[in-house]
Amino acid sequence: MPIMELNTSATPFLLTGFVGLEKAHHWISIPLSVVYISILLGNGILLFLIRVDHNLHEPMYYFLAMLATTDLGMTLVTMPTVLCVVWINHREISHGTCFLQAYFSHSFSTIESGILLAMAYDHFIAIRNPLRYTSVLTNTQVIKIGAGAFVRGFVLILPPILPLYWFSYCRSHVLSHAFCLHQDVIKLACADITFNRLYPIVVVFSVALMDCLIIFCSYILILQTVMSIASGEERAKALNTCVSHICCILVFCVTVFGLTFVHRFGKNVPDLVHVTMSYIYFLFPPVMNPVIYSIKTKQIRSGILQLVSLSPSRK
């Protein structure tokens, strides 16, 4: 039986910035850098507030901290190569680095789906059975749920990524983005990639779609409970606690399913659409999630205002 050997080809992949706009890369780097800094600050502030404010030491905010960690992870994995391309036109990336980048970016996306599902469970228990909330969602249980979401994400993405190390890449080594995506890399492989084409579709529809379906069903039950509340003010208060989470779900689902459909079924779609969807995929949720929770969550908003109001100097 032949022994499978690791592909050690010395030819690196070449990342691609904005095709046709190479002369404007330095200008494009400015908004990208602003977005990058905004993501780091926004999610960093959320984590800091949840860490230092004892009023935020509740399951809901622990899950929010996990979401912010996931968003930071996604950004830290992808943005360095993007900025290298647009800043200094450094396009080369080794096979191993590329595969690791693809692995972590797709893993964090799957983890985010799991965290959003966990947050839906948190809202479900808080509204449907508030008297048992503290006994059901203990710190230990929150840790188990969060760890499960992270383990699921990292394990599910391994099967299509590992074969990339043994594939031969005899076609063009030019990738179509400034970072590595699994669906982009396999187009360059000279091997049987049937599994690598089918498995991600199965994962997207069995995991992300199933998570969204469970979340949808949980909100139907939540809505039934809310509508049974006699007081209109209490109904509005209960629904308001779910608005931030619903917005984050919509942002996530639109970006993930949009990118998946464009890559799988958009062969005749202009390259600009592919590039735009890829940047929306990994930049839009990390930017929007802190903004959504800062605007819609009173405790977070109060903490941010308190930070802003602190004077750095005293007379």
Side-chain angles (χ1 to χ4, degrees):
M1 181 180 293
I3 299 176
M4 186 175 290
E5 296 183 356
L6 186 66
N7 185 351
T8 57
S9 172
T11 305
F13 291 121
L14 293 178
L15 301 170
T16 301
F18 295 84
V19 178
L21 298 174
E22 288 81 3
K23 293 183 178 180
H25 272 181
H26 286 91
W27 293 106
I28 295 173
S29 69
I30 295 174
L32 285 177
S33 300
V34 171
V35 170
Y36 187 32
I37 294 171
S38 299
I39 291 171
L40 296 180
L41 286 177
N43 290 283
I45 289 172
L46 278 183
L47 290 173
F48 176 76
L49 288 176
I50 294 170
R51 172 69 178 84
V52 300
D53 191 343
H54 292 283
N55 294 323
L56 301 179
H57 290 181
E58 298 177 4
M60 170 186 172
Y61 300 107
Y62 291 148
F63 289 131
L64 179 56
M66 295 177 195
L67 185 66
T69 301
T70 303
D71 286 338
L72 281 175
M74 170 72 86
T75 309
L76 291 172
V77 163
T78 53
M79 279 302 289
T81 58
V82 174
L83 294 178
C84 282
V85 170
V86 296
W87 276 348
I88 58 176
N89 196 34
H90 181 75
R91 298 176 58 199
E92 292 187 358
I93 184 170
S94 67
H95 287 195
T97 303
C98 183
F99 302 153
L100 281 174
Q101 186 180 55
Y103 169 68
F104 281 109
S105 63
H106 290 298
S107 293
F108 280 125
S109 182
T110 307
I111 291 168
E112 183 150 346
S113 178
I115 298 299
L116 290 172
L117 177 60
M119 295 173 81
Y121 178 64
D122 172 82
H123 289 302
F124 176 79
I125 298 298
I127 294 177
R128 291 279 292 190
N129 202 344
L131 295 179
R132 294 192 58 206
Y133 180 78
T134 54
S135 61
V136 172
L137 283 174
T138 61
N139 289 343
T140 301
Q141 191 65 20
V142 170
I143 292 172
K144 287 181 179 178
I145 293 173
F150 276 83
V151 170
R152 186 187 72 162
F154 286 126
V155 170
L156 280 176
I157 303 301
L158 268 178
I161 297 296
L162 286 178
L164 297 180
Y165 286 89
W166 288 277
F167 284 163
S168 295
Y169 300 93
C170 55
R171 299 189 178 94
S172 167
H173 278 59
V174 179
L175 298 170
S176 58
H177 300 87
F179 57 96
C180 292
L181 289 172
H182 168 264
Q183 54 266 45
D184 200 16
V185 173
I186 60 173
K187 293 177 183 178
L188 309 181
C190 296
D192 183 4
I193 59 173
T194 303
F195 173 77
N196 284 69
R197 285 190 176 276
L198 295 178
Y199 183 85
I201 297 176
V202 173
V203 169
V204 168
F205 283 94
S206 64
V207 175
L209 188 62
M210 185 60 67
D211 286 354
C212 290
L213 182 61
I214 295 173
I215 291 171
F216 178 74
C217 292
S218 70
Y219 270 105
I220 291 178
L221 296 175
I222 288 173
L223 188 60
Q224 289 179 347
T225 303
V226 170
M227 296 309 293
S228 66
I229 300 175
S231 170
E233 184 178 346
E234 289 297 322
R235 284 201 300 268
K237 183 179 179 180
L239 287 174
N240 190 57
T241 62
C242 302
V243 171
S244 300
H245 182 240
I246 293 172
C247 291
C248 290
I249 292 170
L250 292 175
V251 168
F252 174 78
C253 289
V254 168
T255 55
V256 170
F257 288 113
L259 182 67
T260 301
F261 277 104
V262 165
H263 270 281
R264 298 299 172 186
F265 310 109
K267 294 182 179 180
N268 298 322
V269 174
D271 291 338
L272 182 60
V273 175
H274 285 269
V275 173
T276 302
M277 283 304 303
S278 68
Y279 283 97
I280 291 174
Y281 163 72
F282 80 89
L283 286 177
F284 195 56
V287 167
M288 291 305 299
N289 289 343
V291 173
I292 290 169
Y293 273 93
S294 298
I295 293 174
K296 297 300 299 181
T297 307
K298 182 179 178 181
Q299 292 86 338
I300 297 293
R301 187 168 63 250
S302 299
I304 292 175
L305 291 175
Q306 186 175 357
L307 280 178
V308 172
S309 65
L310 290 177
S311 176
S313 61
R314 295 181 181 178
K315 292 184 177 180

